[in-house]
Amino acid sequence: MAARFAPQPTYASADVPVPTNRPPLPTGTTIRRAKTLTRPERSVAPVPLINPQSSLAPSASGTIQAGSQSSSFDPWRLFAQVITFWAPSFLLRSVGGLKDKGKIQAWREKIALCFIIAILCLIVGFITVGTQKVLCPVSSSMNPSRYSTLGSVPGTLSILGILYNVTQAKSPSSVNLDQLTLKEPGQDITPYFYRTAGQYSACQGLNFRVASDQPCSSTTECPLGPINASSTFTQLNIQETTLLLGYDWDQVAALPNYFVIDGAVLNMNPYMTQHPNAVASDAVDLAIRTILKTQASSSGKDGTRLFYNRADILTAVPCLYERYYAGNIAKITPGCFVSSLFLYVGLIVILALVLVRFAMACVFSWFLSAKLAGPPDKSHLNRSAISPAVMPGGANVSVDNRTGTAPWAGPHGSKKLVKAIPTRLPASSSTTLLPEAAPVMSLTQIGTELFAICLVTCYSEGEDSIRSTLDSISRTTYSDARKLLFIVADGMITGAGEKMSTPDICVGLLDADPRFGNPMPMSYLAIGSGMKRENRAMVYAGHYTVAGRRTPTVIVVKCGTEAEATSDKKPGNRGKRDSQLILMNFFSRVTYNDRMTPLDFDLFRKIHTLMGVTPDFFEVCLMVDADTKVYPESLKYLVNCMHHDQMIMGVCGETRIANKRDSWVTAIQVFEYFISHHLAKAFESVFGGVSCLPGCFSMFRLKARKTTGDDWIPLIVKPEIVREYSQSEVTTLHQQNLLLLGEDRFLTTILLRTFPNRKMMFLPQAKCRTVVPDTFKVLLSQRRRWINSTIHNLMELVLVRNLCGTFCFSMQFVVFMDLVGTVVLPIAIALTYALIGGMIMQPPTTFEEAIPLMLLVSVLGLPAVLILITTRKVVYVFWMIIYLVALPVWNFILPVYAFWHFDDFSWGETRKVEGEAKGEGHGAGSGTFDGSSVPLRRWEDWERSRLRKLKREERRRRDFDRMHPSGYISSENDLLSARSEARSQYGDGSDTHSVVSSEDDHYGPQIGGYNENHAQFPAPPVGLYVSGNGAGGNKVVGGAELEAMLESGFDDDESPQQTPTSAMYATRYQLSDNPSQQRLMSYASSDSGSRTPPTQHQPYGLRIEDRNRTGEKYGPLGPLDPGEKF
């Protein structure tokens, strides 16, 4: 008994094993992969860039714990402290105004980063300019640029190794200088000048004849004047040049009486003329004759070893230099060789990179992109694959759902694709299970137009910008039945200069669906700290109508909690990343059947009602900013690109500038936008690794089918991606630059890190126009964010080793070059202008001097060729000239400003809100968030509560009807009567167990107060509708006939109006409301053969041209029964 009443240990909910009747894997040599209760894929996910919290879900205590910061040793923080030792913290607080400890650390890290950038700039500058000046200075006598090889410069002769210009010389009668230069330009004429033995100081005191003989004698006449008198050269009218005479070894070997000592060429003709025979007892004479007479001429007659190995003749070497010097061997010193090596390697590498980028961009533009933008292959559409209603392998599914089919999709009557699922229970069990399989479908039923959701994030834009964006998306050639406008208004705010708030503008453009009534605020988990982690949003649903198009539209207005609405200036505002995460979290939970927030369930119901399919049918998501105008064919081109390659997980189009002529600020951006797409992104697309998909116009794949077609792979909705992208509390400067300044680049980075073998592409055929900053102040703020975000994201992306390619031909090397090129922009533009100035003042005379000029011309000139090849618009050359004039702005002013503001994480002047001060954040909150205030439940639990709520309201209504048989008057003076019976498109279900359970009132307020399945509205269709291209199947009428029809009038629907009957709403499956069962029931009717096929009805608000496509129906592929046929 004591043991019975002993305190029991407490367990976390995650530690309790989930009961399952799944049999173990069969034994054998193969390993089969089946559904599990965890979510990993085959590959191990990379280490997160930012340490994520274990979960955003509440813990067992009902609170969400913030990630604890590690107190371990951090080398980077120590380095920042060392670099900024001269700035103590108390000085930064008192003088610098940095009161917060985090701001002080961010300032120190900024200084450390700027120090590293300065070091890199100095290294680049030294390699470019300083290497040659240090290793091979121009003043050095061994500099190869100072030498002129014998015979290479006409009209010159050499005296004491120095070249003289003798083209205008006045030759005496005894010596014809013109004949000498014609015979061999540059030859040594030193012996023709008068000299004495006493003028050679290095020869004094030596007894060798080579040092004591008079240079000029009867045998060696000296017809020209004294060599050390300037008047001699004046009379001869010869001018000294800056070049030295150089010999190669073959020339020394061919010249008589020439030999070399330690690189110096000595002309011994005067000595050998005076002494044709050997001089007795003269060691130097013997050595000279040994070199000149006995050494083979092919050796070049080098006497260095002979003279330097004998001490008795070594003393004569300086005298020989001074008296008989005629020039030097034209050799390259090690320093000059290294300098030339740097120069030529730089030429080859940089020129190769420029040419390769140019060539690959042209190849992509000519061949690859056109194939990606074309229509998909019919053979691809004719194959069968797994249904969208099947959750991916490893999803967190119910233990009774063996095939992984979503609970809102009935498994009855569909084709089966057998997967590796065990068929027997353990031997101890007497029960045998039949094989189960996941439903499959023909891709023809989906067609060429995938279900696409178009996310438009709004903050402070005006009505004209938002309307033009929505108009452009709605008017695309993509069918309205296959696209959904998903608009998110980021808070109850009013843009600067606007009369209406952004939510009012968005809702005013919507043709609301009367089925949903007035929305109520729904809670969800937002990005923020403290109490800001909870937020609420209202979901408006209906259609956006323009030019005969009716596009299904959902508007999410983030309104904030009650406390926030009364105290904050911008209630509900959490930033653009939070707006994207509303969509990403929703589809992640739909894909995995994970626990939903009230906002998720509300979105599920309204999207299903508007589109006629459950949200899991959506495969792609187009992200567009509210000031972007999409071209009509762009959406189709992007989806075609996704069709062609299942490995593509993201693709962006070309962004053009809509206000290019507004000011000089917009004019300098035109070519920058062009070259960043058609050169940089086109080149990266060859590797499949575009490093940044712009947030203003990009498409991401929500989930992708495996190549085998038997399973799904979540991509942007993968829980690891969503969790890392939803970080709210960051501490280091690096993390804040990653998360807070460029959410589009950060999302691309984590996708490439998680799926390095998948592709990020650029499609030039898909185009859009956007509004760019028209004042320099706004441009400065925007580029500060972009440059800093680029640097910090590339720092992470360069560490991903398994990207496409290898060594210099890899995406990793390209990222590294982009990173280095970004941080050294200031020194690069300074060196460029220094080069241009130097070339103007002193034009190059040799190939080596012209190498920098060649690089400059190739870097700046090839984009002009690319313009003519890709766009064939000569006007872009004009925009390029404007861009080149503004190069100091792009490469010096903007980068230097951005580097110095590494610790500024605000959006600055880019998006201004009425009454907002600079630096006001949107996610910082006080207090502690209680996770229990945001309920998280699975879809089937929410649906069960919704049915109970409907039945509860219906019972109250019947009670009123019994009390008031003749009806009663509401507060609006309307005569009300009993409503029709509440029903569900998913199943009526029995509520006899818990109609008045304790959880009804608890979750009732979290469920929208509307019934989308009311009898007065048609139900969502149970089949997929054909998404044709344009109005190919419609009847075309002429102008006269159309005018006659308009005068007489006509009816859109020729068939009589049908009253909805109960047969129209076929029961899909029944939900058991017994919490103890927690499983899905089969169809109400078990006899599928006798069941009447459900009748298809037009969804609410469908376009006229879509209704008339009677000749190409796909058949009743219902959202709840993917495989059912007529």
Side-chain angles (χ1 to χ4, degrees), residues 44 82 89 102 104 147 158 214 257 283 337 340 465 507 510 539 578 591 625 635 647 666 722 752 872 1029:
V44 179
V82 172
S89 298
I104 293 177
Y147 286 99
S158 66
Q214 288 295 332
N257 300 324
F337 174 77
S340 299
S465 296
V507 176
L510 179 70
V539 181
D578 179 75
T591 303
D625 281 349
L635 184 55
M647 295 300 292
T666 60
V722 176
L752 285 173
R872 299 178 181 87
N1029 295 324

Side-chain angles (χ1 to χ4, degrees), residues 257-505:
N257 300 324
Y258 276 70
F259 76 98
V260 179
I261 296 179
D262 195 19
V265 179
L266 306 180
N267 181 3
M268 302 304 297
N269 277 313
Y271 178 77
M272 298 302 293
T273 303
Q274 285 183 344
H275 304 283
N277 300 317
V279 180
S281 302
D282 194 323
V284 174
D285 180 80
L286 178 61
I288 292 174
R289 295 180 187 277
T290 301
I291 296 171
L292 296 179
K293 302 298 182 182
T294 62
Q295 277 193 10
S297 60
S298 60
S299 67
K301 295 181 292 189
D302 186 5
T304 306
R305 182 177 180 183
L306 177 60
F307 274 85
Y308 277 83
N309 285 343
R310 292 181 56 179
D312 57 337
I313 60 175
L314 180 61
T315 56
V317 172
C319 177
L320 293 174
Y321 282 167
E322 188 177 15
R323 187 164 177 170
Y324 301 101
Y325 178 75
N328 265 74
I329 291 294
K331 64 181 180 180
I332 299 178
T333 62
C336 294
F337 174 77
V338 172
S339 175
S340 299
L341 183 65
F342 270 98
L343 191 63
Y344 281 100
V345 169
L347 170 67
I348 294 173
V349 171
I350 296 177
L351 201 58
L353 285 176
V354 171
L355 293 176
V356 167
R357 287 169 71 99
F358 172 78
M360 287 189 174
C362 292
V363 169
F364 179 80
S365 176
W366 286 343
F367 304 106
L368 302 181
S369 63
K371 181 180 178 181
L372 291 174
D377 188 5
K378 292 183 179 180
S379 61
H380 169 75
L381 299 177
N382 290 332
R383 66 188 184 95
S384 296
I386 198 165
S387 166
V390 178
M391 290 179 287
N396 191 6
V397 300
S398 171
V399 293
D400 292 319
N401 189 355
R402 296 168 50 78
T403 63
T405 308
W408 47 83
H412 184 75
S414 60
K415 290 184 179 180
K416 304 297 179 181
L417 178 66
V418 178
K419 298 177 68 176
I421 299 178
T423 58
R424 294 184 180 179
L425 289 172
S428 59
S429 175
S430 59
T431 306
T432 302
L433 295 179
L434 295 176
E436 296 185 20
V440 299
M441 58 182 291
S442 173
L443 295 183
T444 308
Q445 296 174 285
I446 295 292
T448 59
E449 294 185 342
L450 302 176
F451 282 92
I453 190 161
C454 305
L455 173 64
V456 181
T457 53
C458 305
Y459 179 55
S460 60
E461 296 81 4
E463 181 177 356
D464 293 339
S465 296
I466 298 176
R467 184 186 295 275
S468 63
T469 300
L470 301 182
D471 284 352
S472 65
I473 299 176
S474 182
R475 289 179 176 179
T476 55
T477 56
Y478 215 72
S479 171
D480 285 339
R482 293 301 176 92
K483 65 173 180 272
L484 171 69
L485 277 172
F486 194 97
I487 307 168
V488 182
D490 189 16
M492 311 297 290
I493 59 176
T494 302
E498 298 295 329
K499 298 180 179 179
M500 297 176 60
S501 67
T502 303
D504 289 338
I505 293 174

Side-chain angles (χ1 to χ4, degrees), residues 374-669:
D377 188 5
K378 292 183 179 180
S379 61
H380 169 75
L381 299 177
N382 290 332
R383 66 188 184 95
S384 296
I386 198 165
S387 166
V390 178
M391 290 179 287
N396 191 6
V397 300
S398 171
V399 293
D400 292 319
N401 189 355
R402 296 168 50 78
T403 63
T405 308
W408 47 83
H412 184 75
S414 60
K415 290 184 179 180
K416 304 297 179 181
L417 178 66
V418 178
K419 298 177 68 176
I421 299 178
T423 58
R424 294 184 180 179
L425 289 172
S428 59
S429 175
S430 59
T431 306
T432 302
L433 295 179
L434 295 176
E436 296 185 20
V440 299
M441 58 182 291
S442 173
L443 295 183
T444 308
Q445 296 174 285
I446 295 292
T448 59
E449 294 185 342
L450 302 176
F451 282 92
I453 190 161
C454 305
L455 173 64
V456 181
T457 53
C458 305
Y459 179 55
S460 60
E461 296 81 4
E463 181 177 356
D464 293 339
S465 296
I466 298 176
R467 184 186 295 275
S468 63
T469 300
L470 301 182
D471 284 352
S472 65
I473 299 176
S474 182
R475 289 179 176 179
T476 55
T477 56
Y478 215 72
S479 171
D480 285 339
R482 293 301 176 92
K483 65 173 180 272
L484 171 69
L485 277 172
F486 194 97
I487 307 168
V488 182
D490 189 16
M492 311 297 290
I493 59 176
T494 302
E498 298 295 329
K499 298 180 179 179
M500 297 176 60
S501 67
T502 303
D504 289 338
I505 293 174
C506 295
V507 176
L509 299 175
L510 179 70
D511 182 8
D513 193 323
R515 283 175 288 191
F516 305 116
N518 293 324
M520 56 185 293
M522 297 291 180
S523 58
Y524 73 97
L525 296 171
I527 297 178
S529 59
M531 300 302 295
K532 285 289 187 76
R533 188 164 293 177
E534 179 185 1
N535 200 2
R536 295 187 182 179
M538 297 181 289
V539 181
Y540 295 83
H543 292 79
Y544 184 80
T545 306
V546 58
R549 306 294 296 266
R550 287 182 57 82
T551 306
T553 304
V554 169
I555 300 178
V556 178
V557 177
K558 295 189 282 187
C559 56
T561 61
E562 293 90 342
E564 188 178 348
T566 58
S567 59
D568 286 13
K569 295 181 180 179
K570 301 183 293 182
N573 176 240
R574 297 294 189 275
K576 180 179 178 180
R577 191 159 51 94
D578 179 75
S579 301
Q580 294 173 333
L581 279 166
I582 290 179
L583 184 74
M584 293 170 62
N585 272 311
F586 168 69
F587 280 103
S588 178
R589 289 157 182 163
V590 169
T591 303
Y592 282 95
N593 188 29
D594 205 350
R595 296 181 300 169
M596 295 181 176
T597 63
L599 177 63
D600 295 327
F601 183 66
D602 197 33
L603 285 171
F604 188 101
R605 296 169 60 189
K606 292 177 178 177
I607 292 176
H608 184 195
T609 304
L610 287 174
M611 299 300 297
V613 294
T614 47
D616 50 5
F617 272 79
F618 285 90
E619 297 185 39
V620 293
C621 171
L622 176 68
M623 294 187 179
V624 180
D625 281 349
D627 53 3
T628 302
K629 183 178 180 180
V630 181
Y631 280 38
E633 300 287 337
S634 297
L635 184 55
K636 180 181 70 175
Y637 287 148
L638 293 175
V639 173
N640 287 346
C641 183
M642 293 291 190
H643 262 298
H644 280 289
D645 192 351
Q646 289 290 318
M647 295 300 292
I648 295 177
M649 58 180 171
V651 59
C652 68
E654 179 189 357
T655 302
R656 295 184 176 180
I657 296 179
N659 56 335
K660 62 181 69 174
R661 294 180 178 87
D662 283 5
S663 67
W664 70 270
V665 177
T666 60
I668 66 175
Q669 300 179 63

Side-chain angles (χ1 to χ4, degrees), residues 58 61-63 929-935 1002:
S61 62
T63 61
F929 171 56
D930 183 8
S932 61
S933 59
V934 181
H1002 180 66

